[in-house]
């Protein structure tokens, strides 16, 4: 652990020409990692909302060597993410509300201990406990074998340790914080994707933004898929919690989900034997393509909302895993380029996107912790406006059979 | 490496309300590991049999980062186990006798470097060199593919790094030592097993006890299997060494073992081309279900015995791998819930056990290093008593064909 | 990191009875690794060509924990190799010439993050960026499944962390340096190979020698295969660069390579869509079995040459991967016991070699950085002499169809 802080002026690095301090926590190019590390607004002598940022290297079990960065804002949110696991968000807390869930997997598993191919491509389940995990970018969706190649559940990004991690704090109030991490999916002859992930947060706020930029560095067009698998359990998810979003249509993912189609947007209490129901949604958006989806508790005074851009992420999957608490009582709100069918089906049905050589694609999602009835109502109103007069169209037939 | 010892009173943690000191070496929950660490009876100012306990982090080759705990008792045993490898016992030495063997695998392989699925499910062989390895708990036995899922050789427990490791030393003489380690087999939707392993040893003694407690934390019944794969080579194993145990019946594991059925309980010298013969045994036990199995050298003055409970572990596999020394001249005495057939066969033949939601199952085995003729004779006498007048029944036909 | 240097006299360890100093960097037997470490000729108070040797532990991304040893000779070469990756050579630089290439894989990937079985046995491509990678020793070549076992691309040696690493520096001028690393391919019942790799370098020189010794420690004969996959990109490889070697015959690896047969020994500029062409060569050698192969740039003033022994490595593969720069514009000169067909084909066609119990086989290759026209001409002349009057025989038909 180095105790000196390397502060740099990074004015030229970003589009907005603000002055900022930055810290390099990890850099594969020079082979360095700061290990355990911390800063605070107090230490930096910044006025305004107090905050601290800490990187910690974990030990024990299969999390040996995993790193977690925790951003703490006294009056706002505490956000934990893991550079070892694709910069995925572990959990977010604030105002007594938790965005996240309780998975049976209770460690931050180092991908070195995960075999994505195990259980016929379900190895991803050995590490799944995040509030938000990037499912991509070479492929996403349920596993499938094609020509002997096993396309494992939800791709590799979520089990890819970040090659470069940096923290940027704006000099000017309100001292926006950016936690940036670089994910590489580089395989000779197969893929040359880099994704700069960024979490943006203003201390004291109830929202944060994920801004990712995926680039195809190869000289050939490359298919890509991404699902932002965002997961919420108690205290938001509960009996009669509701999912809200402006949608054009809803269809069951498979035959099992058909029987839940009528009540697709309300939740049951933890239910033994429920397993999971998945619904494919086509979101409605405003003129700029912006939309929002949220899960809110039964009283309507707690929730989690995700704003996203349908030009970037045109599809939305709703995952209702309202089995028992111990099984992982959780719902997934999953904006994406794709549904969760295997890549073979997504390709066949024309939903897989492509990047040309050198081309980049940005993905921007704003997550808001809805701490009270007022915050919930604001989102409800926005959904209502976007939905307009047309009720969602319920399609009986699944788009595909796996 | 922290140099301060955190000593706590753990009187309430255990069934026997003794006062004890304890040290937490590893704790995934708080993300800590002590790394290189040591204590000794001298340092603790304890009277009686002197002992020391050391944790060491290993480097080099595929053992990079593996941890070994060595418990040394001057007048008793030296016991080495690896928290990185499922708390498995590496080797035990005392009085010039070694319990353990020489595998071609001569490193304590970090599971991060093992792919259990390699060689069609035989990846486990890349790390196998233990005196005792837990084969379980989701499944055990030979590998098999079913519905595309590869059930790899002997399950995952032996390649699971312990999530919590603690050392407990009784305040009162004879200062019993417990080395406890928590193994998690947690996979979303698939398994939620925790196993608290415990090694109990009284300094100066020639015996130690393994006491494991497996709990199904899921809300669904869960199949489990366990084989305590306990392995002994020279100097115990040699030409005309003998296996002794009270058994009702013996059957060859497969056709190859048929030809060795008549001499099932005596050993050959290292024999090129022998490979392995396996026999399925049904042990006889006393009224409490207790029994014993042992391997003893030709002169009958050295051996290793295992006492176990047939209510917990009703079956016994004898593995005779008396090939050449360099191939790994070794015999396995393997009390278990199951034989070593693939889980599909074990299930079909009704031997796979199940834990209900929240239910636990304990497994208790006492290993004794038989240091002289007297110790050997004591076990022989016990076997004789339990066997009674009935000779073991030799069945010609294997229970199953793989 | 230990700061004391452990210097030993190793006069008896090597065939040439010179006095030398040595340093043990890694030793699995005692479980140690020096971590970050460095020495220099200045520090050792050695006269003659100045040099330094450094071991560095890398961090970030999938190279977390990977080690690199860099040998720097001011007036000669800078050679980087990775103990974590089979002692493979990463890159060699001198006189403004680089031996090596730019792979899309730009980290020194720790094998803990590689699953060789992924992509139907192509997981090796996740780490491939070396100047020289050992493809062996249990098997090599393209992946193939046989009896359910996946023989993954190019075997395991290149993804095997060295179990013992030592540096030896001769006391006498010119102070030859040896970097030795022990690779173990030890799997119970399957393989018991040890390979002592050695890089020999005299400070100030433009050449270095790889001297490996493979031993079969098992009591059974064991098949082995090895290809020294040696890879060169810019500035040597370019439009109208040439491959030179004395060869008896040339045949295309597959149908695609047929169309490139006429121009088999000249290179194209980076060419989109070219992918790769592979040619199987049978080298001609002198009376001692020695031969040489080289790639030289268009002007004939830069190049890389490899001398090898056809008694050890009778075959030569030429890999022309002159696709675009970003795809990895590179050519492979690959002396080996085998061609790159799957082990099943190599076995069928009688090219797989075997080691008897206890038997060893040495492989010696000398790499030379050709820094100017004179150096190039010297190799050209040697090739001409060895080729003699007979033109290479071009065979139209691939030896096998995969």
């Amino acid at each position: 652990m180095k105790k000196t802080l390397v502060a740099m002026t990074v004015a030229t690095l970003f589009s907005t020409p603000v002055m900022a301090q930055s810290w390099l926590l990890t850099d594969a190019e020079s082979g360095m990692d700061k290990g355990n590390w911390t800063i605070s607004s107090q230490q930096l002598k910044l006025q305004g909302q107090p905050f601290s940022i800490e990187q910690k290297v974990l030990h024990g079990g299969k999390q040996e060597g995993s790193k977690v960065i925790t951003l703490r804002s006294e009056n706002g949110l505490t956000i934990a993410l893991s550079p070892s696991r694709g910069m995925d968000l572990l959990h977010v807390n604030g105002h007594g509300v938790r965005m996240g869930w309780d998975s049976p997997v209770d460690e931050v598993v180092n991908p070195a201990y995960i075999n994505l191919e195990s259980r016929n491509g379900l190895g991803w389940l050995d590490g799944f406990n995040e509030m938000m995990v990037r499912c991509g970018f070479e492929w996403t969706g349920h596993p499938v074998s094609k020509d002997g190649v096993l396309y494992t559940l939800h791709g590799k990004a979520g089990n890819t340790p970040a090659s470069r991690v940096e923290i940027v704090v704006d000099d000017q109030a309100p001292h926006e914080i950016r936690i940036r991490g670089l994910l590489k999916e580089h395989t000779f002859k197969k893929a040359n994707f880099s994704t700069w992930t960024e979490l943006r947060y203003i201390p004291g706020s109830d929202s944060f933004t994920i801004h990712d930029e995926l680039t195809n560095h190869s000289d050939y067009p490359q298919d890509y898929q991404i699902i932002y698998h965002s997961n919420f359990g108690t205290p938001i998810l509960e009996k009669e919690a509701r999912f809200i979003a402006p949608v054009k249509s809803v269809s069951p993912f498979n035959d099992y989900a058909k029987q839940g189609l009528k009540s697709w947007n309300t939740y049951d209490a933890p239910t033994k034997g429920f397993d999971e129901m998945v619904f494919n949604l086509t979101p409605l958006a405003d003129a700029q393509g912006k939309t929002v989806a949220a899960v809110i508790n039964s009283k309507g005074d707690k929730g989690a909302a995700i704003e996203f851009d349908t030009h970037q992420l045109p599809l939305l999957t709703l995952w209702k895993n309202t089995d028992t608490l111990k099984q992982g009582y959780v719902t997934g709100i999953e904006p994406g380029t794709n549904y969760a069918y295997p890549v073979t089906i997504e390709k066949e049905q024309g939903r897989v996107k492509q990047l040309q050589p050198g081309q980049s694609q940005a993905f921007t999602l704003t997550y808001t912790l809805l701490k009270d009835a007022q915050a919930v109502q604001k989102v409800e109103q926005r959904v209502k406006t976007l939905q307009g007069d047309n009720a969602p169209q319920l399609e009986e037939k699944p788009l595909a059979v796996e």
Side-chain angles (χ1 to χ4, degrees), chain A:
Chain A
M1 188 180 121
K2 301 197 182 154
K3 280 176 182 170
T4 49
L5 303 180
V6 180
M8 307 179 292
T9 296
V10 290
T12 54
L13 280 179
F14 304 97
S15 48
T16 44
V18 297
M19 298 297 284
Q21 283 187 85
S22 82
W23 295 264
L24 192 57
L25 299 197
T26 302
D27 180 33
E29 210 176 318
S30 64
M32 64 72 73
D33 191 281
K34 278 206 190 297
N36 290 328
W37 173 91
T38 182
I39 54 165
S40 69
S41 53
Q42 196 182 8
Q43 193 184 340
L44 299 172
K45 301 198 165 78
L46 297 181
Q47 302 299 319
Q49 290 288 345
F51 68 86
S52 68
I53 307 170
E54 180 193 17
Q55 173 167 283
K56 189 177 172 183
V57 182
L58 303 181
H59 300 280
K62 290 193 285 183
Q63 76 183 10
E64 190 61 41
S66 288
K67 293 180 291 180
V68 172
I69 296 176
T70 306
L71 163 54
R72 291 182 182 86
S73 162
E74 229 168 81
N75 305 306
L77 305 178
T78 294
I79 302 169
L81 61 82
S82 177
S84 306
R85 296 188 55 77
M87 302 299 288
D88 291 342
L89 303 179
L90 301 175
H91 44 77
V92 175
N93 285 277
H95 312 289
V97 182
R98 188 260 308 253
M99 292 161 76
W101 60 295
D102 298 309
S103 170
V105 178
D106 53 3
E107 298 181 359
V108 182
V109 181
N110 188 327
Y113 290 101
I114 285 186
N115 179 349
L116 294 174
E117 304 218 335
S118 76
R119 299 185 200 262
N120 203 20
L122 295 179
W124 187 88
L125 299 174
D126 283 343
F128 177 43
N129 59 12
E130 293 96 337
M131 192 229 93
M132 188 280 281
V133 50
R134 290 169 181 88
C135 302
F137 287 91
E138 264 198 82
W139 67 81
T140 191
H142 288 186
V144 65
S145 275
K146 196 193 163 194
D147 303 333
V149 175
L150 184 49
Y151 295 85
T152 61
L153 178 62
H154 288 327
K156 299 190 292 180
N159 284 278
T160 300
S163 293
R164 187 179 170 97
V165 177
E166 53 194 36
I167 310 278
V168 183
V169 178
D170 279 2
D171 284 347
Q172 286 186 312
H175 306 301
E176 189 184 37
I177 296 161
R178 305 186 213 188
I179 302 178
R180 292 164 51 79
L182 177 62
L183 307 183
K184 294 179 186 173
E185 292 179 68
H186 292 187
T187 305
F188 183 62
K189 284 192 185 292
K190 299 294 173 186
N192 199 342
F193 279 148
S194 289
T195 306
W196 262 113
T197 70
E198 187 171 305
L199 177 134
R200 296 173 183 166
Y201 180 68
I202 294 172
S205 160
D206 295 337
S207 295
F208 59 89
T209 293
I210 295 295
H211 177 80
D212 293 351
E213 205 156 322
L214 167 69
T215 301
N216 172 19
H217 288 294
S218 100
D219 280 321
Y220 296 93
Q222 179 94 30
D223 286 352
Y224 78 90
Q225 299 186 281
I226 176 66
I227 290 174
Y228 286 87
H229 203 307
S230 311
N231 312 298
F232 310 97
T234 58
I236 298 170
L237 186 65
E238 60 183 352
K239 190 183 177 194
E240 289 173 16
R242 288 181 297 129
F243 170 82
I244 58 169
V247 295
K248 195 182 158 213
S249 67
V250 178
S251 66
F253 185 81
N254 53 22
D255 280 348
Y256 176 58
K258 271 189 201 174
Q259 53 192 280
L261 184 59
K262 274 179 199 164
S263 56
W264 71 277
N265 55 355
T266 58
Y267 294 97
D268 287 332
T271 305
K272 199 163 173 180
F274 184 89
D275 197 8
E276 61 179 30
M277 282 192 190
V278 178
F279 298 95
N280 299 327
L281 315 180
T282 49
L284 293 167
D286 66 17
Q288 283 71 47
K290 300 288 164 51
T291 190
V292 67
V295 52
I296 56 182
N297 71 343
S298 64
K299 272 178 70 182
D301 61 2
K302 282 187 187 70
I306 310 174
E307 295 170 81
F308 59 99
D309 184 331
T310 55
H311 295 141
Q312 300 167 345
L313 304 165
L315 305 176
L316 184 56
T317 293
L318 173 60
W319 174 54
K320 297 169 80 175
N321 195 77
T322 52
D323 208 287
T324 71
L325 286 167
K326 284 182 184 166
Q327 293 302 109
Y329 179 66
V330 59
T331 186
I333 302 183
E334 312 178 12
T337 55
N338 288 82
Y339 292 126
Y341 295 113
V343 59
T344 45
I345 289 175
E346 290 294 305
K347 184 80 179 168
E348 206 177 279
Q349 299 195 352
R351 286 186 296 270
V352 175
K353 298 200 173 282
Q354 209 172 61
L355 280 177
Q356 294 306 308
Q359 198 188 352
S360 293
Q361 173 65 51
F363 309 99
T364 311
L365 307 91
T366 295
Y367 291 75
T368 302
L369 182 148
L370 308 173
K371 67 183 167 197
D372 55 22
Q374 198 186 343
V376 167
Q377 281 154 25
K378 207 173 135 195
V379 177
E380 291 233 59
Q381 192 48 55
R382 176 126 187 258
V383 168
K384 219 171 264 175
T385 304
L386 290 171
Q387 185 73 54
D389 294 336
N390 307 305
Q393 200 175 310
L394 302 195
E395 319 269 7
E396 282 286 334
K397 211 184 148 198
L399 279 165
V401 178
E402 274 187 276

